Amino acid sequence: MDPNRVVIFDTTLRDGEQSPGISLNTTEKLEIAHQLARLGVDVIEAGFPIASPGDFEAVRAIARDVHGPVIAGLARAHAADVERAAEAVRDAERPRIHTFISTSDIHIEHQLQSTREDVKGQARAAVAHARSFVSDVEFSPMDATRADVEFTAEVLQIALDEGATTINVPDTVGYATPQEYAAFLGRLYELVPGLHDVVLSVHCHDDLGLAVANSLAGVQAGARQVECAINGIGERAGNASLEEIVMLLATRSADLGFATGVNTREIARTSRMVSRLTGYPVQPNKAIVGRNAFAHESGIHQDGVLKDRSTYEIMDATTVGLEGNDLVLGKHSGRHALKSALQELGFQVDGQALNTAFKRFKEIADRKKHVTAMDLEALVTDELRDELRSYTLAWFDVDVSNRRPPHARVAVLTPEGEEVVGDFTGDGPVDAIFRAINAATRREARLREFRIDAVTGGQDALGEASVVLELAGQSAAGQGVSTDIIEAAAQAYVRALSNAERKVHAVEEAAVPEPELTPTP
Ligand code: KIV
Ligand code: ZN
């Protein structure tokens, strides 16, 4: 392989999915994984199989269904974790087990309540055990950047001796500066010369806003794998953002000399899909994928760009897939046109799914003159959201006036297929319908966040609602799309409620409480 080729390891579905409020179901994870494969990432970290039966199922489904990238499963340095990860990734074309244990004294003493000797023994056993299942094993010394470099080097030597093929050095708490991080990796190369024979990887968190800068410093120090997530989602302030590191390496390739295998034209679509399915909005001024990332507001800038784009633009919006999507359908477009438009967007929709998509498309086309590629994307991702054990919105009435409080009456189908009806007089129409859903389902869910965005511009734009709510200590998100914003909001609320209820059931059914199974990087 080209010595300057940087492996892109996407952890949207593992570290990204650990962000508070995100609860993707298996269908949604699969859809994201397929899109990551289209984007051209090299490795997909599909989840943490021992964390819950849902995580295990999702990793296994991705391993079976998604072709191209290596599929990795995360495991603590425990035999049971490694075995569960091995089982989950077994059917992948190229399976990987990623195992980790902390090397910082802060973690060893306070979290693991163990000793350095014990950490060495656990690392040795975990890598050896993982190698008995797969030939591709990644090892991470968690919290490495706050650890003693000599001790971390000893542990890495052990991991290499046992056959690790990728060594990842996490800046778990986002504490390092680029110079420190590069120096830390440089020192590891000196202490463990065998690192030159495997892939060195970087995994940087963004607590001080340095995740991408640190990842670049790591690559310049010799690392050839970058762990990152779409839209930079992840624990706390998140992980290095995939789109930023990829476009940094692409835009400055003449000076930096590195390349990735990513098809950058798929970036915008991947970002929209992840934002939509996770319910995590992208800030308008976010580099690369923010709504304003290529917008010019000041007169001087606009004047310059009109004369020559290079005056104020270092990248072309089409290279990240933000423009040039001129596909448009209208109410006279037929099933065949819809199917080929969806195919062009990368969605293979047939049979019953095509019938449902066509019905939704017709409803929208009746209310909206032009249905664009972005509308279709929103519609198809919206259709993915419903699965078993879900509530569904049957119908609703909302009375709105500025002379009396709004009243909502709503009917919801329970997972058992029973129609339940509830009423509420609220502070506003959205409040009224949310509380009417609580009344219908007899659930005491509490709204934590609510947002409504337009999918495209224009008066007849589709509204996309996002809800985060809390039920019995579990928070979950849901989204809904409609030309009617009250309907989109109600749909989002009902889905968030279904997701929260699934989480409550999972925690009740799990032998070990969920928080203990989640690593706290
Ligand atoms: O941040 C971290 O240290 C992690 C490890 C599990 C690699 O996410
Ligand atoms: Zn992490």
Side-chain angles (χ1 to χ4, degrees):
M1 182 148 122
D2 171 0
N4 290 327
R5 167 75 155 75
V6 176
V7 169
I8 296 297
F9 175 114
D10 180 277
T11 188
T12 306
L13 294 172
R14 199 278 298 169
D15 213 323
E17 225 253 339
Q18 284 173 216
S19 313
I22 297 186
S23 52
L24 297 169
N25 62 40
T26 299
T27 322
E28 292 167 338
K29 286 184 186 172
L30 255 176
E31 196 58 32
I32 291 177
H34 279 295
Q35 179 57 27
L36 290 171
R38 274 196 289 271
L39 177 66
V41 307
D42 301 287
V43 185
I44 295 175
E45 187 166 49
F48 184 19
I50 201 155
S52 71
D55 263 61
F56 174 84
E57 276 314 322
V59 178
R60 189 161 64 171
I62 292 169
R64 289 180 174 168
D65 241 61
V66 178
H67 305 289
V70 169
I71 307 296
L74 186 70
R76 289 170 302 186
H78 297 168
D81 282 44
V82 170
E83 285 156 20
R84 198 77 174 135
E87 203 185 330
V89 297
R90 193 181 52 203
D91 297 332
E93 275 166 2
R94 291 186 294 149
R96 174 180 294 187
I97 298 175
H98 175 193
T99 184
F100 70 98
I101 188 162
S102 297
T103 55
S104 73
D105 290 329
I106 304 179
H107 280 207
I108 296 174
E109 281 164 29
H110 302 296
Q111 188 183 13
L112 302 177
Q113 299 181 333
S114 180
T115 61
R116 286 186 175 193
E117 275 318 297
D118 193 44
V119 164
K120 288 199 272 185
Q122 286 195 51
R124 183 183 297 287
V127 175
H129 200 37
R131 273 304 303 253
S132 72
F133 296 106
V134 291
S135 58
D136 185 351
V137 172
E138 173 169 333
F139 174 75
S140 294
M142 186 148 98
D143 202 22
T145 52
R146 292 193 301 166
D148 174 23
V149 70
E150 265 88 16
F151 174 64
T152 302
E154 270 184 71
V155 177
L156 295 189
Q157 185 61 59
I158 290 170
L160 291 184
D161 293 344
E162 297 304 327
T165 43
T166 296
I167 295 289
N168 177 48
V169 182
D171 182 29
T172 302
V173 291
Y175 183 70
T177 65
Q179 290 81 356
E180 282 168 358
Y181 193 50
F184 192 84
L185 297 183
R187 184 75 183 122
L188 287 177
Y189 271 124
E190 282 167 14
L191 294 168
V192 190
L195 282 179
H196 290 283
D197 305 324
V198 296
V199 177
L200 188 69
S201 166
V202 292
H203 177 111
C204 301
H205 280 269
D206 208 30
D207 299 66
L208 293 172
L210 288 173
V212 171
N214 283 341
S215 302
L216 175 64
V219 170
Q220 290 177 311
R224 287 295 176 271
Q225 174 177 287
V226 175
E227 302 200 352
C228 44
I230 300 293
N231 300 336
I233 61 172
E235 281 282 353
R236 307 180 309 280
N239 286 78
S241 129
L242 181 146
E243 57 279 7
E244 292 178 21
I245 189 77
V246 165
M247 288 312 291
L248 167 61
L249 298 182
T251 308
R252 301 300 307 274
S253 66
D255 308 288
L256 298 171
F258 302 112
T260 72
V262 168
N263 172 6
T264 61
R265 284 171 195 271
E266 289 290 331
I267 284 179
R269 190 137 72 89
T270 317
S271 161
R272 286 194 296 267
M273 179 187 283
V274 169
S275 169
R276 195 165 271 147
L277 290 176
T278 57
Y280 265 52
V282 173
Q283 78 199 52
N285 60 328
K286 164 87 175 59
I288 317 297
V289 290
R291 187 169 69 234
N292 297 340
F294 292 86
H296 301 280
E297 185 67 18
S298 96
I300 295 177
H301 287 216
Q302 287 177 351
D303 176 57
V305 168
L306 286 174
K307 288 176 177 147
D308 188 317
R309 298 196 84 87
S310 67
T311 50
Y312 289 97
E313 275 185 8
I314 59 164
M315 292 169 278
D316 182 344
T318 56
T319 59
V320 299
L322 270 177
E323 281 170 13
N325 230 336
D326 36 22
L327 183 154
V328 175
L329 298 179
K331 68 175 180 188
H332 299 299
S333 308
R335 194 180 299 259
H336 188 71
L338 176 68
K339 186 177 165 151
S340 53
L342 291 173
Q343 243 159 11
E344 207 176 300
L345 293 171
F347 297 108
Q348 191 56 48
V349 182
D350 297 293
Q352 188 48 39
L354 180 62
N355 292 344
T356 317
F358 189 62
K359 189 164 162 275
R360 289 286 310 271
F361 161 71
K362 281 288 178 191
E363 281 163 14
I364 289 168
D366 269 345
R367 300 193 228 170
K368 192 174 187 302
K369 199 162 172 225
H370 299 301
V371 180
T372 66
M374 283 183 35
D375 293 327
L376 288 182
E377 254 177 57
L379 189 150
V380 172
T381 7
D382 195 51
E383 283 303 318
L384 293 172
R385 294 188 176 116
D386 293 321
E387 64 165 8
L388 294 173
R389 289 201 66 86
S390 293
Y391 292 110
T392 41
L393 184 67
W395 53 260
F396 65 88
D397 291 316
V398 180
D399 300 324
V400 189
S401 154
N402 65 356
R403 293 184 299 166
R404 55 184 181 277
H407 179 79
R409 185 167 173 76
V410 66
V412 173
L413 287 181
T414 67
E416 293 74 36
E418 186 196 348
E419 186 173 292
V420 288
V421 178
D423 280 83
F424 202 85
T425 301
D427 292 335
V430 171
D431 178 54
I433 200 160
F434 288 173
R435 288 171 189 256
I437 294 169
N438 276 359
T441 56
R442 296 170 193 269
R443 294 290 176 271
E444 289 294 319
R446 295 163 77 91
L447 183 68
R448 289 283 171 243
E449 282 172 40
F450 171 61
R451 218 183 65 243
I452 192 118
D453 295 305
V455 171
T456 51
Q459 273 203 329
D460 60 356
L462 282 180
E464 182 165 35
S466 257
V467 160
V468 178
L469 55 70
E470 202 175 297
L471 179 72
Q474 297 299 316
S475 76
Q479 294 77 35
V481 174
S482 171
T483 45
D484 175 339
I485 57 169
I486 302 282
E487 182 172 21
Q491 192 72 269
Y493 193 87
V494 161
R495 283 171 176 155
L497 191 63
S498 304
N499 289 336
E501 193 142 293
R502 265 195 295 277
K503 281 178 131 183
V504 173
H505 280 295
V507 170
E508 281 168 3
E509 279 165 20
V512 190
E514 194 182 42
E516 278 188 25
L517 292 171
T518 308
T520 47

